[in-house]
Amino acid sequence: MAFDGIMMTMVKKELKRDLLGAKVNQIYQPARDELVFSFRTHEGVKKLLIRLSDSPRVHISACSIENPPVPPMMCMLLRKRLGGSRLIDVVQPKNERVLSLYFDALNEIGDREQLRLYIEIMGRYSNAILTDGEDNVIDSIKRIDFSESQERVLLPKMPYELPSMQDKLCIEEADVPAICRRIIDLGGDDRAILNTIQGISPMIAREIAYRADKEGLDAVIEALKNEVENGMGQPTLVDKIDGSPMDFCFMDIRQYDGALSVRHFDSYSELLDTFFSDRDRLSRMRAKSADLNKLLNNTIDRLSRKINLQKADLKKCADREELRIKGDLLQANLYRIEKGSSVVTVDNYYAEDNAPITIRLNPAVTPAMNAQRYYKEYNKAKTRETMLTGQIKKASEELQYIESVQDILSRCETEAELSAIRSELREQGYLRSVKGAAKRKDKPLPPIEYQSSDGFRILVGRNNVQNDTLTLRSAKKTDIWLHTKNIHGTHVIILTDGKPVTETAIYEAAQIAAAHSKAKDSSQVPVDYTAVKNVSKPSGAKPGKVIYVNYKTVYVTPKSSL
């Protein structure tokens, strides 16, 4: 996940295309290590985001960013010196991760001056430095004095110096044979590629090595050189198996050979906006749902332990018939048992061969009382078996419900969906209501809606409560209901509007049902479907729990991109 030098080269060409000649409309500093420049262009206002910590980067962004009520000192300085100026050039040295923005500005007495904003994207050393026409530092986000560095000082009125460059070859300046020779001399693997070419990330080095094995190193380096020189790279995002963003780069990625999904974008700014907004959203949702995950995991552990203990007790009740048989045999042989005996051996007429059986007795009580003792133990075991069977069924249903909530929670994308789950758990007694908190009724979320390729509307429930509403109240009896077979997932409804449903609509809706289930990363997922009239809710069942009859099953690979 590196904003490498060649990625910056591609972004630079994008900035020159979209922002050159634009006027600085406003400058914000949402955080200490973050700047946002608002430019007025012919196409409207565009925002340039400069992030210097937590994945440093620079690109045009469409995301809305909250600003502090009082602007920091650096923001005030930038507004004073660059407010109303025009961007006249964007320069980058040798595919390095340094970008300099040249501004044509007016000073306090109305004279024109050229100012530069250097943006250094170098991990934790990332910085933004404003310099004057003679390249002397006016100020910087991070000041560096002599106590921090003897080689490079960044203080007001000190001359600005570029960071020391790495001993690597620039893909735009070096020729292909020279690059290939150096790679081969260093070992020819992806590490050699990384140590040879300026401005590439480890993933790009692995991609070049992967392609070189099939196409030849010379051809791959030549193609890369042409892409960089012509600015014709491919903005690419690589997703993990779970759909979360993993990495981004400036070229198509083939090294995963279909194991991971790849998305392409029209611009690098759109790519970076999508990657970081998705990543930040997922990170934010994980943080906001951490308490719910903990609650659900603890409840699942508690219920699992409870069920295991109850099953162990139930197993002991399996011998209850032997207790009844011993009581019957003692009752039938009372006349043969001497008072005070501790054991007795009698013929077992319940066995095929009447094999003798030895029965332990309590010598302190009469033979008849010993028989009654066995009957009593039998009745206790029988009652306990009935009770345990009911308790295990109830705990198992509760476990299935909690697991279904956990599955839905794993797919939450908005705070509204998270709030709906909290409300559901509060109604079911798993979360306490906060004392003194105002009772607020959240606006009901609409179901997720898709459309099949042949025009049928497909609705997907977002949570268990909405599943009940969608299936049992909103859907008509002739609509089609779908759900993954014996796998936690959500309810899916095909709205037929009285028309016969097509096999295409059923298959595509089944793909969606599989994608909104615990089996979303699997293949050949079984999905049951039937008319809504065949679906009903058992009395007293938890939200989302239904039973259905007269169904068919289709096997699909999950897909939610209709």
Side-chain angles (χ1 to χ4, degrees):
M1 197 188 333
F3 189 88
D4 56 36
I6 297 183
M7 174 63 80
M8 181 175 271
T9 301
M10 299 299 187
V11 170
K12 176 198 73 175
K13 293 178 180 179
E14 207 166 85
L15 298 185
K16 293 185 78 166
R17 181 193 69 201
D18 295 343
L19 298 181
L20 225 53
K23 186 177 181 181
V24 177
N25 185 46
Q26 187 55 278
I27 302 171
Y28 307 97
Q29 191 175 358
R32 180 180 180 273
D33 297 330
E34 191 172 53
L35 294 171
V36 177
F37 279 69
S38 174
F39 287 92
R40 189 176 298 281
T41 70
H42 294 296
E43 290 78 27
V45 174
K46 294 188 177 182
K47 294 179 181 178
L48 178 67
L49 172 66
I50 302 168
R51 191 79 173 266
L52 304 174
S53 65
D54 185 25
S55 303
R57 60 195 186 273
V58 54
H59 60 92
I60 297 171
S61 175
C63 296
S64 58
I65 302 171
E66 188 175 352
N67 297 301
V70 180
M73 292 299 295
M74 185 65 182
C75 181
M76 296 291 286
L77 172 67
L78 291 171
R79 288 178 179 179
K80 178 182 177 182
R81 302 300 296 265
L82 296 179
S85 64
R86 292 191 181 276
L87 182 67
I88 57 174
D89 203 0
V90 183
V91 178
Q92 178 196 17
K94 279 189 170 184
N95 298 141
E96 286 286 349
R97 289 185 294 171
V98 178
L99 206 62
S100 54
L101 308 181
Y102 286 60
F103 293 93
D104 182 26
L106 295 175
N107 61 20
E108 292 178 340
I109 60 175
D111 293 336
R112 290 196 173 277
E113 61 176 350
Q114 189 181 97
L115 303 179
R116 299 175 190 174
L117 182 68
Y118 289 91
I119 304 165
E120 301 174 355
I121 303 298
M122 298 181 294
R124 62 192 181 97
Y125 300 107
S126 297
N127 206 347
I129 305 102
L130 181 66
T131 68
D132 60 20
E134 297 179 357
D135 237 6
N136 293 321
V137 175
I138 298 174
D139 210 343
S140 60
I141 293 288
K142 301 174 186 175
R143 293 184 178 184
I144 301 175
D145 57 25
F146 290 99
S147 65
E148 296 178 83
S149 174
Q150 294 293 326
E151 298 179 359
R152 187 167 183 259
V153 178
L154 291 175
L155 291 173
K157 299 185 179 180
M158 297 287 291
Y160 173 80
E161 294 180 2
L162 286 169
S164 56
M165 303 299 177
Q166 295 176 304
D167 183 23
K168 296 183 180 181
L169 301 179
C170 175
I171 192 77
E172 293 183 272
E173 296 181 357
D175 57 26
V176 172
I179 296 173
C180 293
R181 279 197 305 272
R182 184 162 174 179
I183 291 173
I184 294 169
D185 291 342
L186 292 176
D189 58 2
D190 59 312
R191 187 174 292 276
I193 295 169
L194 185 64
N195 291 329
T196 297
I197 302 175
Q198 177 66 39
I200 63 170
S201 65
M203 186 177 73
I204 296 298
R206 292 194 302 270
E207 181 68 20
I208 293 171
Y210 173 81
R211 295 188 184 189
D213 288 339
K214 298 183 176 183
E215 305 170 21
L217 184 60
D218 288 359
V220 174
I221 298 299
E222 183 69 43
L224 176 64
K225 183 179 177 68
N226 290 334
E227 279 190 4
V228 176
E229 288 178 346
N230 299 326
M232 297 177 62
Q234 176 68 70
T236 301
L237 191 154
V238 181
D239 289 321
K240 297 178 184 176
I241 294 176
D242 63 2
S244 60
M246 185 186 83
D247 213 334
F248 59 86
C249 61
F250 57 85
M251 63 191 298
D252 188 26
I253 296 298
R254 306 172 191 167
Q255 59 188 280
Y256 299 111
D257 206 16
L260 298 179
S261 61
V262 173
R263 286 186 277 166
H264 300 300
F265 293 82
D266 295 330
S267 71
Y268 291 96
S269 293
E270 183 187 359
L271 163 68
L272 294 166
D273 248 7
T274 301
F275 178 86
F276 287 105
S277 62
D278 284 359
R279 192 201 64 169
D280 293 346
R281 174 180 52 79
L282 291 171
S283 177
R284 185 171 59 252
M285 291 303 297
R286 278 194 294 268
K288 289 183 176 294
S289 63
D291 61 325
L292 289 182
N293 267 315
K294 184 178 179 180
L295 169 69
L296 296 175
N297 285 327
N298 289 342
T299 305
I300 288 171
D301 289 343
R302 175 178 58 79
L303 289 171
S304 298
R305 288 196 302 270
K306 180 180 178 180
I307 291 169
N308 289 333
L309 289 172
Q310 289 173 337
K311 285 183 176 179
D313 284 349
L314 184 62
K315 195 173 182 181
K316 295 177 184 176
C317 297
D319 299 331
R320 73 182 189 285
E321 285 300 319
E322 187 178 338
L323 296 171
R324 183 184 63 79
I325 289 171
K326 287 180 178 179
D328 288 349
L329 293 176
L330 288 177
Q331 194 70 30
N333 290 278
L334 287 177
Y335 68 94
R336 297 178 54 189
I337 305 172
E338 296 182 8
K339 189 174 181 180
S341 299
S342 59
V343 294
V344 65
T345 300
V346 296
D347 291 335
N348 182 6
Y349 51 77
Y350 285 98
E352 292 182 2
D353 54 356
N354 287 345
I357 182 173
T358 300
I359 304 173
R360 290 185 177 276
L361 303 173
N362 183 356
V365 299
T366 65
M369 292 176 71
N370 271 295
Q372 291 302 315
R373 182 170 63 87
Y374 275 105
Y375 283 135
K376 188 176 181 180
E377 291 294 327
Y378 165 74
N379 287 327
K380 284 173 63 178
K382 185 178 180 181
T383 302
R384 184 156 182 77
E385 181 184 51
T386 303
M387 181 183 68
L388 284 171
T389 302
Q391 288 177 344
I392 290 171
K393 181 182 178 183
K394 184 178 179 182
S396 297
E397 289 175 350
E398 184 180 3
L399 179 61
Q400 287 183 1
Y401 169 70
I402 294 297
E403 287 177 340
S404 73
V405 175
Q406 188 180 53
D407 173 58
I408 292 168
L409 182 63
S410 70
R411 295 194 299 276
C412 272
E413 295 185 351
T414 66
E415 293 191 27
E417 291 175 326
L418 203 59
S419 177
I421 291 178
R422 287 186 189 279
S423 178
E424 178 184 336
L425 290 174
R426 200 171 286 116
E427 289 175 5
Q428 296 300 314
Y430 293 99
L431 280 177
R432 293 181 182 177
S433 298
V434 180
K435 288 185 179 180
K439 289 186 178 179
R440 185 188 67 181
K441 189 140 186 171
D442 293 327
K443 185 179 178 181
L445 285 169
I448 304 169
E449 185 168 341
Y450 296 88
Q451 187 173 30
S452 70
S453 57
D454 53 1
F456 284 89
R457 288 174 65 203
I458 301 170
L459 304 182
V460 180
R462 294 177 186 267
N463 52 60
N464 286 313
V465 173
Q466 193 176 87
N467 285 339
D468 282 351
T469 302
L470 186 62
T471 301
L472 305 172
R473 296 185 184 88
S474 302
K476 296 180 180 177
K477 294 185 181 296
T478 54
D479 292 337
I480 303 299
W481 178 89
L482 302 94
H483 195 283
T484 44
K485 188 181 188 71
N486 300 325
I487 299 171
H488 292 302
T490 191
H491 295 201
V492 175
I493 299 291
I494 304 175
L495 302 180
T496 61
D497 294 328
K499 298 181 294 185
V501 68
T502 63
E503 290 186 6
T504 298
I506 290 174
Y507 188 81
E508 291 177 350
Q511 288 181 308
I512 292 170
H516 289 272
S517 77
K518 202 167 185 176
K520 62 182 181 296
D521 299 322
S522 306
S523 58
Q524 291 300 299
V525 179
V527 177
D528 292 338
Y529 67 94
T530 185
V532 169
K533 66 181 180 181
N534 296 323
V535 183
S536 60
K537 189 173 187 67
S539 178
K542 293 280 189 183
K545 173 72 174 177
V546 295
I547 54 176
Y548 53 97
V549 295
N550 300 331
Y551 63 89
K552 294 181 181 180
T553 305
V554 61
Y555 291 82
V556 297
T557 297
K559 181 181 179 182
S560 61
S561 57
L562 291 183

